[in-house]
Amino acid sequence: MAKRDYYEVLGVSRTADFEEIKKAYRKLAVKFHPDKNPGDHTAEERFKELGEAYEALNDPQKRAAYDQYGHAAFDPRQRSSRGGGFHDPMDIFREVFGGGGGGSIFETFFGGGDRSGPQRGDDLRYDLEITLEDAAAGCEREISVSKLDKCETCGGSGAEKGSGVKTCQTCGGRGQVMMSRGIFSIAQTCPQCKGHGRILEKPCKSCHGEGRREHSSKIKLKIPPGVDAGTRLRSSGNGEAGFRGGSSGDLYVILHVKAHEIFQRDGDDLHCEVPVSFIQAALGAEIEVPTLEGKAAIKIPAGTQSGAVFRVKGKGVKNLQGYGHGDLHARIQVEVPTRLTHEQKAKLQEFAALCDGHEAPLAQSFFEKAKKFFR
């Protein structure tokens, strides 16, 4: 099959400068790189074709020869006289992306770090259950967390005192070794140093060279007022210790609020149900309702119906961002007596005889609607 024009392969014009050519190659090389297209032979061929075109057009002498003679400028039969020929397209890829000694696209282009240097410790999660009162008012808690802390014997170095570390001879300190697969080279973790790039001369006997040991730590937490279920608190530096002098991770405490016997929370507002007697609802009364801080008095007018809601301003939960307090919403539940004496029954029957139906507006309205429905 005839080779395609190198300018066409890279998608650039014949007047493109070297920066345009490099930019075009970078974009297409990432798209067709074998690491991103495993098992795709078409992508593999496109990647090799891109490398061939870039090598020819990125070199001023080779580009001039190609512009004058086309593909014949690189005829294998004439390589000995011109010193031409193409190289591994992975070498070109590494040159363009600054990969140095090679590796996969994810190491050279996306910046894989040096695993032999300091590494930050892992973050940890702790689930803590508190009461609604504690969530509303704020509190302090001391929790016990079992985690990997810096080894006290070696100070986190992993080495016995007086000893040090040496460069791994297998990988030369890179932490990776190259495995060749055909024309491609793939970086793998060094089996000797486990990717650290260094080997301890004398591992610490306490932590066996890890630099960290399991330890139970007591941590004090200050929980601000207004937190709710799902609130996440960060305790900086109280995660697991880092590797080789790296910083510690953080501890994230997830709060869970116990269900309350009286109150239900809705944002910064609280809701509760308050039972009142039939007499209080009928005649009106001043009653006390519970709050998180004690009691509050509310007046209910005569004829209050079950389900009526009264708001007690400012008796909810303090806003976490400091925007005041929520409200308490008291929902009235009218209680019906379940056990009556003969005298009480007689009085109620006497009261019923005095009623002409106007004392129960809800019932009157309902039955009027029902009559229209059944007509």
Side-chain angles (χ1 to χ4, degrees), residues 6-38:
Y6 287 155
Y7 291 99
E8 180 186 342
V9 170
L10 294 174
V12 296
S13 67
R14 289 187 170 272
T15 58
D17 58 25
F18 292 111
E19 191 59 35
E20 288 180 273
I21 291 172
K22 185 174 182 178
K23 184 177 180 180
Y25 173 72
R26 285 174 64 99
K27 181 179 179 180
L28 294 171
V30 170
K31 179 179 179 181
F32 293 105
H33 194 285
D35 282 1
K36 295 191 68 176
N37 303 275

Side-chain angles (χ1 to χ4, degrees), residues 14-339:
R14 289 187 170 272
T15 58
D17 58 25
F18 292 111
E19 191 59 35
E20 288 180 273
I21 291 172
K22 185 174 182 178
K23 184 177 180 180
Y25 173 72
R26 285 174 64 99
K27 181 179 179 180
L28 294 171
V30 170
K31 179 179 179 181
F32 293 105
H33 194 285
D35 282 1
K36 295 191 68 176
N37 303 275
D40 188 337
H41 297 296
T42 301
E44 182 179 325
E45 291 300 320
R46 285 283 283 120
F47 184 75
K48 288 191 289 185
E49 184 182 40
L50 286 167
E52 183 178 309
Y54 177 76
E55 185 182 13
L57 300 184
N58 190 54
D59 183 282
Q61 293 182 344
K62 292 180 180 179
R63 183 178 182 181
Y66 178 73
D67 288 343
Q68 186 173 0
Y69 301 106
H71 293 297
F74 310 110
D75 192 315
R77 292 169 293 184
Q78 303 180 42
R79 284 180 187 173
S80 58
S81 61
R82 287 195 298 264
F86 295 105
H87 307 287
D88 185 346
M90 288 298 295
D91 291 334
I92 303 169
F93 184 85
R94 287 190 281 271
E95 176 188 327
V96 174
F97 290 102
S104 71
I105 184 174
F106 302 104
E107 293 163 325
T108 56
F109 184 64
F110 295 106
D114 179 12
R115 298 185 61 187
S116 65
Q119 294 181 25
R120 184 178 182 275
D122 290 335
D123 293 334
L124 296 178
R125 168 177 173 149
Y126 187 95
D127 292 273
L128 178 64
E129 188 175 57
I130 60 175
T131 64
L132 178 60
E133 289 84 352
D134 288 339
C139 62
E140 289 188 0
R141 287 286 183 272
E142 185 177 74
I143 61 176
S144 179
V145 179
S146 182
K147 60 190 179 74
L148 290 172
D149 278 336
K150 185 184 294 184
C151 175
E152 296 178 355
T153 304
C154 65
S157 68
E160 286 284 348
K161 291 183 178 179
S163 67
V165 295
K166 58 183 180 181
T167 302
C168 175
Q169 298 300 314
T170 302
C171 64
R174 293 187 64 249
Q176 296 177 330
V177 292
M178 301 302 299
M179 303 294 292
S180 296
R181 294 183 180 177
I183 65 170
F184 302 108
S185 295
I186 300 175
Q188 294 184 345
T189 301
C190 176
Q192 184 68 26
C193 64
K194 310 300 182 186
H196 297 162
R198 298 179 292 175
I199 297 177
L200 300 172
E201 292 178 348
K202 291 183 180 180
C204 173
K205 294 179 181 178
S206 298
C207 63
H208 306 290
E210 290 293 323
R212 308 185 302 174
R213 294 183 65 188
E214 189 81 17
H215 185 261
S216 182
S217 302
K218 298 288 186 180
I219 300 172
K220 289 186 178 180
L221 293 173
K222 187 173 182 180
I223 300 173
V227 296
D228 202 353
T231 298
R232 187 177 73 165
L233 304 177
R234 182 170 73 107
S235 182
S236 181
N238 279 319
E240 292 194 334
F243 290 96
R244 295 175 294 282
S247 61
S248 296
D250 297 329
L251 172 67
Y252 290 91
V253 179
I254 311 301
L255 299 180
H256 303 270
V257 181
K258 295 180 182 178
H260 200 274
E261 293 181 348
I262 297 177
F263 301 107
Q264 296 83 43
R265 183 173 176 176
D266 180 17
D268 295 333
D269 291 341
L270 293 176
H271 297 262
C272 70
E273 294 188 349
V274 182
V276 299
S277 68
F278 164 75
I279 304 301
Q280 289 174 313
L283 301 179
E286 182 175 299
I287 63 173
E288 289 184 333
V289 296
T291 72
L292 288 175
E293 300 169 350
K295 297 179 181 179
I298 61 172
K299 290 183 178 181
I300 59 173
T304 294
Q305 301 297 312
S306 188
V309 178
F310 295 88
R311 185 180 70 153
V312 186
K313 191 174 182 180
K315 291 299 181 180
V317 178
K318 182 179 180 180
N319 182 270
L320 186 59
Q321 280 73 42
Y323 300 121
H325 286 70
D327 300 327
L328 171 65
H329 302 269
R331 187 170 184 269
I332 299 300
Q333 291 287 346
V334 179
E335 279 194 304
V336 177
T338 56
R339 294 181 181 180

